[in-house]
Amino acid sequence: MKTETAKQGRETMTKKSTGKNLDLSKEFHQHYAPSLESREIVKIAERYELFIGGRWVKPQTKEYFPTLNPATGEVLSQLARAGAADVDLAVKTARQAYTKVWSKTSGRDRSRYLFRIARLIQERSRELAVLETIDNGKPIKETRDVDLPLVAAHFFYNAGWADKLEYAFPGKKVAPLGVAAQVIPWNFPLLMAAWKIAPALATGNTVVLKAAETTSLTALALAEICAQAGLPDGVVNIITGAGETGAALVNHPDVNKVAFTGSTEVGKIIARAIAPTKKRLTLELGGKSAHMIFADAAIDQAVEGIINGIYFNQGHVCCAGSRLLVEESVADEVVRKLKKRMESIRVGNPLDKNTDIGAINSQGELEKIKKLVAIGKQEEGEFFEPASGTLPSKGYFHKPCFFNRVASSSTLNRVEIFGPVLTITTFRTPEEAISKANDTPYGLAAGIWSEKGSKIHQVASALKAGVVWANTYNKFDPTSPFGGYNESGFGREGGRHGLFPYLEVK
Amino acid sequence: MSGLNGSQLAVPKTIKMYIDGAFVRSESGRSYPVYVKGTKQLYANLCRGSRKDVRAAVTAAQEAQPGWSGRSAYNRGQILYRMAEMTESKRSEFVELMTETMGTTKAAAASSVTRAIDALVYFAGFADKYHQVLGSENPVSSPHYNFTCSEPVGVVGLLGGDTVDFDVWVGQLAAIICSGNTVVALMPELESALLAPLSEVLATSDLPKGVVNLLSGELDELRAVVASHMEIQSLCYMGDDSKVWSELKVLGAENMKRVVAPGRETMGLESISGFLEFKTVWHPIGT
């Protein structure tokens, strides 16, 4: 399968680069010729309406807002701002589609629609990857090899569940909840739409999804794909707008289920807002995940893991390995190798196939990252950023960087930065590593590097985190449940566990 | 001092709370009377727990949690079975308390105790099985070994409503601790005198101290203290007051507590699964 090859390809690349390629000289890096992906394949309309009931509907607010290419600052298109009346129409449409059509559609037929959607995504994979890169700023290497294969795989995986739900919960009868209100973030725009929509439809719910205001274009392309797949009108409705639109959606009295991915701050607001209702809730929120390197780790591979853990997707990853914990005896070696490796990271045009770190998604995010870096410089810690490479003159870019010797109590070790900024702290014993790793209100993910199996299992089971990557990091798969402990939210997405939030088990 | 109505001059028992494995009065020195049902005759003075008592109980539960979840599932099952045995041996005391303080008929009380014992045995036998039912090995596309296992959520606040059937209360308590959670429980008001024999069951079943902490008092006063405590990970409300439900969710949002309804059947997997977290672990496959 396409997906599998792409993923394995990536794996092989990682392995190769842990070897001799580490010795890339600065000169070699500077002379790397650009290799631009063509954007000719992508057609962006001047203006987009709301996708409600299988049609493009003008917003009753009559308001539109621009969406930008963060790598250049150019305006790509104008998006409709959905107001309360538009949200109401979308929810009513989803309710009607649920009652009249989707709840009467067999599991087998729901499955067929999802398979069709998966195939259409695969067919338009390159186009969607380029569109995502233009709209989001993440490198084409990632949209092409990670985001898009996973998007198709999520639909393909969930498609197969639709007519087998009785096996997911043996001995129990299950029923869909009704209308699901879904609000997604801007860091993996199309992938988050897939994580939300695919299990909701497989389990028999209808959907109103609000895309993130800075990255709605691929969700709107997905709307088109749903229509092309012949999905009955109103089963998936996609609306655009900012926080107010999202608030109107989750607070609409006729939604049965709220699924939100975003910040812990907003997650708490949603949890309180819908407390008096019977709406079911799943939240996938922030993180400050610990990435632990033990002295007995394969250090060169671990350094690649650190890079992938924090600089993947510009660090705009809720589960980013943003707190590096290194065993004291190898700390100097790890930091030295990390610095050297960082000199060969290429920051720049996201459409360049060589680019490792693309554009920060928006000016607001860039300013937030810069502010936190400034705070870090005022507090303790040794700041490092690679000397090589110059940032593009236009657009929003930030160099990868880290702060070494940072105390657990420092601002940068407490706050989720959501950018390419790492902190480094040392430990002496596994107990100390576990205690420092768990010293956070979050609990989304964690990484462990050690060549000792028994230690990995002991540490993994002591960590308060929903995903533990051992001798790897930032791996995702539709069969693999994902979600957090504590203030990183509740509920799981992916795998059999990802079906439960959308079902009532009788 | 329970049993003051006895015809002979018996030695009555002071009903204390059960915190960190010790029988304690409220630090506040407050108490409230429980009467023989339908009369003004004092049955016993119960402790009216305070904010500080709740905090002490949470600290005890938090400290007990790693050790309790670190026990083998087999061992936790054996301890729950021991609780069933000890409940059986205190059957007459449970029945007397239910008939005297709650006005339950003897037959109904006896059958309630029987169902509570059934529930304890049921969850004793579930402690080393639910993992296999709820966990999974995940066939990821990349060369990784990937599995999802369940873990206890941590410290659970078990909150009574005005009244909860004794067997339902004991069953939910057993389900929560069988996976390695520890509990701070506010006794339902009508059943609060049952704290006496129940705490003695806990104290004599090899259950480590702090795993279950039982408090009595005014629920309206204490519920918010439990719901807003930052070291509690989950709340289970056994009542059906929608206002309370909403209040718990609002207060619990501060540290994203999982606010969970009790299992719909006293004996069922749902009573366990609501109090678990799922952890997914990845490891590369290769040489």
Side-chain angles (χ1 to χ4, degrees), chain B residues 155-234:
Chain B
V155 178
V156 179
L158 181 62
L159 308 173
D162 295 340
T163 175
V164 180
D165 288 344
F166 175 65
D167 55 301
V168 174
W169 178 255
V170 170
Q172 188 56 64
L173 182 67
I176 292 170
I177 63 172
C178 93
S179 65
N181 291 299
T182 56
V183 173
V184 173
L186 303 183
M187 291 295 290
E189 285 186 9
L190 190 69
E191 284 83 3
S192 54
L194 292 172
L195 190 154
L198 186 56
S199 57
E200 286 164 21
V201 165
L202 302 172
T204 53
S205 301
D206 296 327
L207 190 72
K209 66 175 188 160
V211 172
V212 177
N213 303 277
L214 298 176
L215 285 80
S216 53
E218 285 184 17
L219 293 183
D220 284 341
E221 180 191 12
L222 298 181
R223 208 166 30 223
V225 182
V226 173
S228 52
H229 198 294
M230 295 294 277
E231 302 303 333
I232 289 179
Q233 280 75 41
S234 177

Side-chain angles (χ1 to χ4, degrees), chain A residues 3-4 7-8 11 15 153 157 172 264 267-269 271-272 274-279 283 285 450 456-457 459-472 475-492 495-497 504-506, chain B residues 65-66 69 131-154 230 232-233 242 245-259 264-265 268-270 273 276-287:
Chain A
T3 315
E4 204 170 347
K7 290 203 75 164
Q8 278 170 351
E11 196 74 17
K15 274 181 194 151
Y157 174 77
K172 296 280 174 189
T264 292
K268 287 180 184 179
I269 293 170
R272 290 189 186 109
I274 68 169
T277 72
K278 287 196 186 317
K279 291 172 192 173
L283 297 168
L285 307 175
S450 165
I456 287 174
H457 283 294
V459 175
S461 68
L463 292 170
K464 301 279 180 213
V467 183
V468 177
W469 285 291
N471 291 329
T472 185
K475 292 284 179 282
F476 309 94
D477 193 276
T479 68
S480 178
F482 182 95
Y485 282 37
N486 300 328
E487 293 189 31
S488 288
F490 42 74
R492 293 293 175 267
R496 181 167 61 87
H497 298 80
E504 188 196 343
V505 181
K506 291 185 170 170
Chain B
Q65 206 273 326
S69 65
H131 311 72
Q132 289 168 318
V133 181
L134 297 172
S136 60
E137 188 191 343
N138 310 309
V140 295
S141 310
S142 54
H144 291 93
Y145 182 62
N146 180 297
F147 63 91
T148 300
C149 57
S150 52
E151 290 188 346
V153 67
M230 295 294 277
I232 289 179
Q233 280 75 41
S242 59
W245 190 251
S246 173
E247 178 201 359
L248 295 176
K249 286 200 270 188
V250 169
L251 293 172
E254 189 51 38
N255 67 333
M256 284 282 125
K257 284 186 190 70
R258 287 81 169 116
V259 185
R264 280 165 297 184
E265 305 161 297
L269 181 59
E270 206 186 15
S273 62
L276 300 175
E277 287 292 348
F278 290 98
K279 177 184 278 178
T280 299
V281 181
W282 295 67
H283 195 280
I285 296 171
T287 49

Side-chain angles (χ1 to χ4, degrees), chain A residues 37-57:
Chain A
E37 176 73 39
S38 165
R39 51 184 287 183
E40 171 266 336
I41 192 172
V42 165
K43 306 241 176 324
I44 301 173
E46 277 177 28
R47 198 166 88 172
Y48 287 89
E49 313 297 347
L50 307 168
F51 186 73
I52 298 173
R55 297 182 306 120
W56 296 101
V57 178

Side-chain angles (χ1 to χ4, degrees), chain A residues 420-491:
Chain A
V421 186
L422 177 73
T423 63
I424 306 177
T425 309
T426 58
F427 66 86
R428 287 183 178 174
T429 62
E431 292 70 31
E432 190 189 351
I434 291 164
S435 149
K436 282 183 167 166
N438 287 339
D439 181 19
T440 169
Y442 296 113
L444 192 48
I448 307 167
W449 291 81
S450 165
E451 291 294 285
K452 194 173 179 194
S454 57
K455 186 190 280 180
I456 287 174
H457 283 294
Q458 190 198 29
V459 175
S461 68
L463 292 170
K464 301 279 180 213
V467 183
V468 177
W469 285 291
N471 291 329
T472 185
Y473 207 93
N474 270 343
K475 292 284 179 282
F476 309 94
D477 193 276
T479 68
S480 178
F482 182 95
Y485 282 37
N486 300 328
E487 293 189 31
S488 288
F490 42 74

Side-chain angles (χ1 to χ4, degrees), chain A residues 150-471:
Chain A
L150 280 172
V151 170
H154 266 273
F155 278 100
F156 206 89
Y157 174 77
N158 282 285
W161 268 126
D163 57 356
K164 300 170 194 69
L165 296 174
E166 68 273 24
Y167 294 107
F169 304 91
K172 296 280 174 189
K173 284 227 179 297
V174 293
L177 302 174
V179 176
Q182 306 180 319
V183 178
I184 58 170
W186 47 263
N187 57 339
F188 292 91
L190 189 56
L191 184 57
M192 290 301 107
W195 279 31
K196 294 281 180 287
I197 293 173
L201 298 195
T203 48
N205 299 276
T206 58
V207 163
V208 179
L209 177 128
K210 187 199 84 76
E213 66 267 34
T214 58
T215 57
S216 298
L217 293 179
T218 47
L220 295 166
L222 181 61
E224 188 183 271
I225 286 173
C226 288
Q228 287 171 346
L231 190 71
D233 293 346
V235 171
V236 168
N237 304 278
I238 293 178
I239 59 174
T240 46
E244 276 179 28
T245 308
L249 177 57
V250 301
N251 287 317
H252 192 287
D254 202 31
V255 305
N256 306 95
K257 158 80 193 168
V258 173
F260 170 76
T261 296
S263 71
T264 292
E265 187 190 356
V266 175
K268 287 180 184 179
I269 293 170
I270 293 174
R272 290 189 186 109
I274 68 169
T277 72
K278 287 196 186 317
K279 291 172 192 173
R280 288 263 298 268
L281 177 64
T282 38
L283 297 168
E284 206 270 88
L285 307 175
K288 193 74 199 178
S289 299
H291 202 167
M292 289 168 266
I293 316 294
F294 287 94
D296 54 12
I299 299 294
D300 288 346
Q301 287 179 29
V303 168
E304 279 308 308
I306 296 166
I307 297 283
N308 184 41
I310 183 63
Y311 303 126
F312 174 63
N313 200 34
Q314 297 74 245
H316 299 328
V317 185
C318 50
C319 52
S322 53
R323 283 189 297 142
L324 186 66
L325 302 173
V326 189
E327 191 159 344
E328 206 175 78
S329 58
V330 292
D332 288 345
E333 182 191 357
V334 168
V335 170
R336 181 169 46 81
K337 288 184 167 171
L338 187 60
K339 283 180 176 173
K340 190 174 178 193
R341 176 65 180 84
M342 284 170 72
E343 292 293 349
S344 64
I345 291 179
R346 291 176 290 264
V347 186
N349 185 351
L351 280 172
D352 187 333
K353 290 171 221 167
N354 300 315
T355 294
D356 299 308
I357 296 182
I360 301 299
N361 182 250
S362 65
Q363 191 170 5
E365 285 301 316
L366 180 61
E367 278 164 12
K368 192 185 119 193
I369 296 165
K370 283 182 172 168
K371 199 172 144 192
L372 283 163
V373 167
I375 290 172
K377 285 177 178 170
Q378 280 165 16
E379 294 182 2
E380 58 186 327
E382 299 158 15
F383 176 74
F384 172 82
E385 64 177 10
S388 63
T390 46
L391 297 183
S393 53
K394 281 190 297 182
Y396 317 126
F397 290 88
H398 198 283
K399 278 193 175 187
C401 63
F402 68 71
F403 286 85
N404 192 11
R405 300 179 210 281
V406 181
S408 297
S409 56
S410 72
T411 307
L412 295 195
N413 259 338
R414 313 302 307 169
V415 179
E416 183 179 37
I417 302 171
F418 224 64
V421 186
L422 177 73
T423 63
I424 306 177
T425 309
T426 58
F427 66 86
R428 287 183 178 174
T429 62
E431 292 70 31
E432 190 189 351
I434 291 164
S435 149
K436 282 183 167 166
N438 287 339
D439 181 19
T440 169
Y442 296 113
L444 192 48
I448 307 167
W449 291 81
S450 165
E451 291 294 285
K452 194 173 179 194
S454 57
K455 186 190 280 180
I456 287 174
H457 283 294
Q458 190 198 29
V459 175
S461 68
L463 292 170
K464 301 279 180 213
V467 183
V468 177
W469 285 291
N471 291 329

